[in-house]
Amino acid sequence: MTPVSPPRPGFWRQLWRRLLSAVDLQPAPGEKPGSRWIPIRSLAARHKPRILKHLQGLTPQDRYLRFGYPATDEQIERYVSGLNFVRDEIFGVFNRRLELVAMAHLAYSVDPQWATCAEFGVSVDTRQRGKGLGAKLFRHAVMHARNEGVSMLFVHALSENVAMLKIARHAGARVERDGSESEAYLTVPAATLDSQVSGLFQDQMAEIDYQLKMQAKQFRQWLGTLQEIRQGVRDARHPHDKP
C-alpha cells in the first residue's frame, strides 16, 4: 500500500479559501461593505459545557440584558440544563481555539395555538463586540425559522438593550415598548427553495469550518506534546546544563 504523505504547507488554508469562494459574501442590508462570512454552527447537547462556560463568562450587565435579570451562575446552570436541543435550535460561533464566543437560542412555541411562532435570544462575548455577530446570528435564526414554517419571530428584551432592538428594527421588526421592557415582532416570509438550499449549504460550511478548527487544535496539541518530549530528551542527555 502506498503511504499517504502529509498535506503540503498551506493546504488547509488553500482548501478553506476555495470553499469560501463558493459562499455569497455580499453584505446584508445595513452591514458595512466587506463584512466577512461568519461560520454559525448548530449546537447539540454535547456542547452544554461550552455553552455554560460562555454564559457564565458574561459580565453582570450582559447577563442582565440577556436574561432580563441579574442571573447567577446557578440560574444559568439551570437554564443550560433545561435546553431542549430536539425541539429548539441553538446556534453558536466558535473562535479558532473552539471557544464559544457567541450563541443564539431559537425557541419554538410549545403551545399548538402558536405553533408558527418562535422566540429569539442572543449573547455575545464582550471581547467579540463590534463584529456584527449578533446581527448575523439573528439573520441565521430567521432563515432557520423560515424554513421550519415559522411566520412570526418574537424578541423580548429590556428597553435598554439598544443593540438587540436595533438588530430587530434593521431586520424590519415592529418594536413596541412598555416601560422597561420592549417586544419586537418580525413577520417571517414563507420558505422558498432558495432559502432551504442556502440554509443547508451554510450549515455544511459551518460544519467544515468546525472540523478544520478541530484538526488545527489537535495538531497544535500534538506539537506541544512533541516539544515537551524533545525537551525531556535534551535534558536527559545534558543533565549538567540545567540551571
Side-chain angles (χ1 to χ4, degrees):
M1 182 180 295
T2 304
V4 179
S5 58
R8 63 183 182 277
F11 170 80
W12 296 113
R13 183 178 298 176
Q14 293 175 13
L15 173 61
W16 190 230
R17 285 177 177 173
R18 292 195 191 100
L19 291 171
L20 285 180
S21 66
V23 180
D24 182 11
L25 295 178
Q26 292 297 319
E31 268 195 343
K32 297 179 181 179
S35 296
R36 65 189 183 93
W37 175 73
I38 298 294
I40 299 174
R41 190 181 192 276
S42 293
L43 304 180
R46 67 179 181 275
H47 294 114
K48 279 188 176 182
R50 286 191 172 98
I51 294 174
L52 181 63
K53 182 179 179 180
H54 162 68
L55 292 175
Q56 290 186 339
L58 296 175
T59 65
Q61 177 65 11
D62 287 341
R63 292 187 185 195
Y64 177 63
L65 294 177
R66 171 60 183 87
F67 296 102
Y69 60 90
T72 64
D73 285 350
E74 292 74 18
Q75 289 170 324
I76 291 176
E77 188 171 356
R78 286 198 294 270
Y79 164 78
V80 175
S81 297
L83 288 173
N84 189 326
F85 293 88
V86 176
R87 182 195 66 213
D88 299 339
E89 294 190 73
I90 295 93
F91 311 106
V93 177
F94 292 89
N95 63 14
R96 64 182 184 87
R97 293 183 295 277
L98 291 183
E99 297 169 337
L100 189 64
V101 297
M103 67 163 288
H105 184 182
L106 181 62
Y108 295 102
S109 174
V110 296
D111 188 339
Q113 182 180 358
W114 308 104
T116 60
C117 297
E119 184 177 4
F120 174 82
V122 67
S123 57
V124 179
D125 188 280
T126 305
R127 295 165 295 182
Q128 300 294 326
R129 299 290 171 75
K131 299 180 180 180
L133 297 184
K136 293 177 188 296
L137 282 165
F138 185 74
R139 289 200 307 274
H140 190 80
V142 170
M143 178 182 63
H144 273 260
R146 178 183 184 185
N147 291 336
E148 290 296 323
V150 170
S151 60
M152 179 69 71
L153 190 62
F154 170 76
V155 179
H156 181 85
L158 296 172
S159 297
E160 60 191 279
N161 194 346
V162 179
M164 184 65 252
L165 296 176
K166 182 179 180 181
I167 289 172
R169 284 195 179 95
H170 280 179
R174 183 180 78 255
V175 178
E176 297 179 357
R177 179 169 179 172
D178 183 13
S180 63
E181 298 182 349
S182 293
E183 295 179 348
Y185 303 89
L186 178 67
T187 301
V188 181
T192 63
L193 179 61
D194 180 67
S195 71
Q196 293 173 340
V197 171
S198 177
L200 290 172
F201 184 71
Q202 290 190 36
D203 288 346
Q204 289 298 317
M205 291 290 290
E207 178 62 27
I208 292 173
D209 173 84
Y210 184 86
Q211 294 301 326
L212 289 175
K213 288 175 179 175
M214 177 68 76
Q215 291 183 14
K217 180 180 180 180
Q218 293 172 343
F219 182 67
R220 288 194 299 270
Q221 291 174 341
W222 176 79
L223 282 180
T225 302
L226 183 61
Q227 291 172 354
E228 290 177 0
I229 293 174
R230 288 175 175 173
Q231 184 61 46
V233 171
R234 284 194 292 267
D235 292 343
R237 288 178 178 176
H238 307 286
H240 300 295
D241 293 342
K242 294 183 179 180

